[in-house]
Amino acid sequence: YKDLFSPTVVSCDSFAVISDNSTRDIQTATQFAKGFGCDEDSAANNMIVAVANNFSTSLWPVVSDSYNELNCPTSTEEEVLSLFGNDVDYLTQSYDDSIELINELLHMEEYNATICELQNPDYDESLDGPCTLFQTGFEYTGNYFQGTFLAPYTYAGYFADMWMLQYVSGLENWGFGKMDFPTLASLHSMHVQ
């Protein structure tokens, strides 16, 4: 693709990348354009990165699963919890081994992580022990594109996704160089499920 869209073949300003109206999506679209050799610092190679909701209110982003033009209600907390028997602990236990491996890779106990105090108002180190992803608690957010809630496996899934992105980007020391690809693929299932 890079050869096809190379600025020597086709001018970058002939194309536009449309992103959703979020910082992450705009940054991703900009980096995508740069990957084709279209650098924003060079006027001759400038691919347009347009934000969908800023220039046309009737443009529906095609690849955004959080866009809701019709203002349809999202799932309620009860509906989401019913997907796994209203048992948050069981859901977490389903991913125990993966979450524990991520705890170890992050050295959470060793570095006295602070995420538990920030995310779980019920966390008490004297009762719950050192902070690990298991003590991050459960919080319903209603944000479909974030899995509708925050829980130990969603935090672990963020790290698994980051390491997968490092791997597919060709980074040599992905995941701190501490696992093989089959392990990473297994961890990444938390993010995609």
Side-chain angles (χ1 to χ4, degrees):
Y1 290 110
K2 194 168 183 175
D3 292 338
L4 177 63
F5 290 103
S6 169
T8 60
V9 177
V10 178
S11 174
C12 288
D13 62 3
S14 302
F15 297 94
V17 178
I18 310 296
S19 82
D20 198 6
N21 190 12
S22 74
T23 302
R24 181 192 68 178
D25 289 350
I26 293 167
Q27 290 171 339
T28 300
T30 302
Q31 293 303 315
F32 180 78
K34 283 184 179 181
F36 286 107
C38 300
D39 192 341
E40 64 191 19
D41 298 329
S42 171
N45 295 334
N46 194 12
M47 184 182 284
I48 298 165
V49 176
V51 179
N53 299 337
N54 284 357
F55 72 91
S56 173
T57 57
S58 63
L59 180 63
W60 293 22
V62 180
V63 295
S64 173
D65 64 3
S66 63
Y67 189 74
N68 188 354
E69 176 68 25
L70 302 175
N71 293 320
C72 297
T74 58
S75 299
T76 65
E77 182 173 5
E78 293 76 23
E79 290 169 334
V80 171
L81 289 172
S82 71
L83 294 173
F84 47 88
N86 293 332
D87 192 343
V88 176
D89 292 332
Y90 176 77
L91 181 63
T92 300
Q93 289 169 3
S94 300
Y95 296 100
D96 269 0
D97 292 340
S98 296
I99 296 169
E100 184 56 43
L101 177 57
I102 290 174
N103 281 328
E104 291 171 14
L105 290 169
L106 296 175
H107 301 280
M108 289 190 65
E109 291 185 38
E110 181 181 338
Y111 292 112
N112 196 19
T114 58
I115 187 174
C116 296
E117 295 168 5
L118 297 171
Q119 293 303 121
N120 183 358
D122 297 327
Y123 173 72
D124 181 347
E125 186 176 0
S126 64
L127 298 173
D128 301 321
C131 175
T132 69
L133 293 176
F134 291 111
Q135 284 87 20
T136 54
F138 174 88
E139 177 189 355
Y140 175 78
T141 64
N143 294 326
Y144 170 74
F145 55 95
Q146 291 178 339
T148 65
F149 57 87
L150 299 173
Y153 96 89
T154 54
Y155 292 115
Y158 293 148
F159 286 101
D161 192 44
M162 177 185 66
W163 295 328
M164 181 61 80
L165 290 171
Q166 290 176 344
Y167 174 81
V168 299
S169 296
L171 189 69
E172 285 185 29
N173 200 23
W174 52 271
F176 309 117
K178 300 288 186 184
M179 69 185 105
D180 57 15
F181 180 74
T183 302
L184 175 61
S186 175
L187 290 177
H188 193 251
S189 69
M190 282 186 297
H191 181 72
V192 296
Q193 292 177 355

